[in-house]
């Protein structure tokens, strides 16, 4: 009988400790792909630039005790669009961005990002995560703003710099090819990320 009582007390104590120290479950907000977007800007060394968008196919943000604790999203490379040109010129550039010189949408139809660390308090945070493009993963860090209104979460990041050569995109890079002159394209392009997510 003593063994049974002792065992019961240990079991009860274990349960109490587990619930006292177990982390609270994070709330999951699913990205609304129709309201979310990624905008991009690419430039050449002469100052010329092109702008466009990339669609999102899915994503989720995790919040615990009112703070962002994690996130992941997937971009549809086949949806790359050019916004500063029209007609055939836009189509030609879009096709070029999707071929082997750049993002190779046929072989790598998706790019992904997953948060590994969130620092900061309130609405202003610094996010570190793993970005995968063309099957190559690199860690990037950037500031972001997060706001929750009711059951909707808004997350934005402006001017996120990506070095394309780290993902084997070296077309007209002055660091890999000589004699390009004004035709050289800057290694870095910028992203503006706007995510709208709901429970």
């Amino acid at each position: 009988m003593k063994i049974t009582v002792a065992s019961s007390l240990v079991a009860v104590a274990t349960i109490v400790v587990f619930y006292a120290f177990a982390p609270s479950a994070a709330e999951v907000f699913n990205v609304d792909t129709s309201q979310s977007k990624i905008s991009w800007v690419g430039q050449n060394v002469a100052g010329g630039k092109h702008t466009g968008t990339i669609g999102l196919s899915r994503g989720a943000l995790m919040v615990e005790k009112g703070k962002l604790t994690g996130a992941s999203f997937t971009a549809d490379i086949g949806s790359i669009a050019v916004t500063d040109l029209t007609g055939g010129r836009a189509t030609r550039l879009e096709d070029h961005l999707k071929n082997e010189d750049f993002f190779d949408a046929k072989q790598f139809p998706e790019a992904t990002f997953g948060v590994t660390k969130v620092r900061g308090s309130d609405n202003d945070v610094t996010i570190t995560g793993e970005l995968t493009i063309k099957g190559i993963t690199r860690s990037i860090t950037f500031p972001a703003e997060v706001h929750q209104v009711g059951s909707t979460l808004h997350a934005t990041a402006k001017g996120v710099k990506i070095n394309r050569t780290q993902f084997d995109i070296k077309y007209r890079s002055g660091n890999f090819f000589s004699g390009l002159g004004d035709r050289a394209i800057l290694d870095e392009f910028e992203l503006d990320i706007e995510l709208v997510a709901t429970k």
Side-chain angles (χ1 to χ4, degrees):
M1 175 66 79
K2 290 182 180 179
I3 295 177
T4 302
V5 171
S7 299
S8 299
L9 290 174
V10 170
V12 171
T14 301
I15 292 172
V16 170
V17 170
F18 174 79
Y19 282 104
F21 292 96
S24 58
E27 296 179 284
V28 178
F29 292 75
N30 293 311
V31 171
D32 184 340
T33 57
S34 66
Q35 296 189 57
S36 304
K37 69 175 182 178
I38 300 175
S39 302
W40 58 264
V41 179
Q43 293 182 276
N44 62 29
V45 296
K49 67 179 182 180
H50 289 296
T51 61
T53 60
I54 308 172
L56 290 162
S57 55
R58 59 188 177 277
L61 292 84
M62 281 64 75
V63 173
E64 190 172 336
K65 295 181 180 178
K67 295 183 179 180
L68 182 72
T69 57
S72 63
F73 59 82
T74 300
D76 176 11
I77 297 301
S79 72
I80 290 176
V82 174
T83 56
D84 65 302
L85 300 175
T86 59
R89 295 178 65 197
T91 300
R92 283 192 294 273
L93 180 53
E94 289 167 358
D95 289 344
H96 194 190
L97 291 172
K98 296 172 189 176
N99 77 14
E100 297 86 347
D101 283 340
F102 287 95
F103 293 95
D104 197 355
K106 186 175 181 179
Q107 185 172 353
F108 303 100
E110 295 181 336
T112 63
F113 179 74
V115 171
T116 57
K117 187 176 183 179
V118 180
R119 298 190 305 274
S121 58
D122 299 324
N123 297 324
D124 297 316
V125 297
T126 299
I127 290 175
T128 297
E130 294 188 339
L131 175 65
T132 300
I133 299 175
K134 296 182 72 173
I136 300 170
T137 301
R138 295 284 185 266
S139 179
I140 63 172
T141 299
F142 54 87
E145 293 185 6
V146 182
H147 301 274
Q148 182 176 348
V149 180
S151 61
T152 301
L153 195 68
H154 298 262
T156 60
K158 303 291 185 180
V160 179
K161 297 182 183 298
I162 308 296
N163 187 328
R164 62 189 177 93
T165 65
Q166 293 182 349
F167 301 91
D168 196 31
I169 304 174
K170 301 173 183 176
Y171 180 79
R172 287 190 184 176
S173 168
N175 287 318
F176 291 88
F177 302 97
S178 61
L180 294 172
D182 290 347
R183 297 184 302 122
I185 300 171
L186 296 182
D187 289 346
E188 286 189 334
F189 63 93
E190 292 188 7
L191 300 177
D192 286 347
I193 303 168
E194 299 180 27
L195 303 180
V196 178
T198 56
K199 291 183 184 179

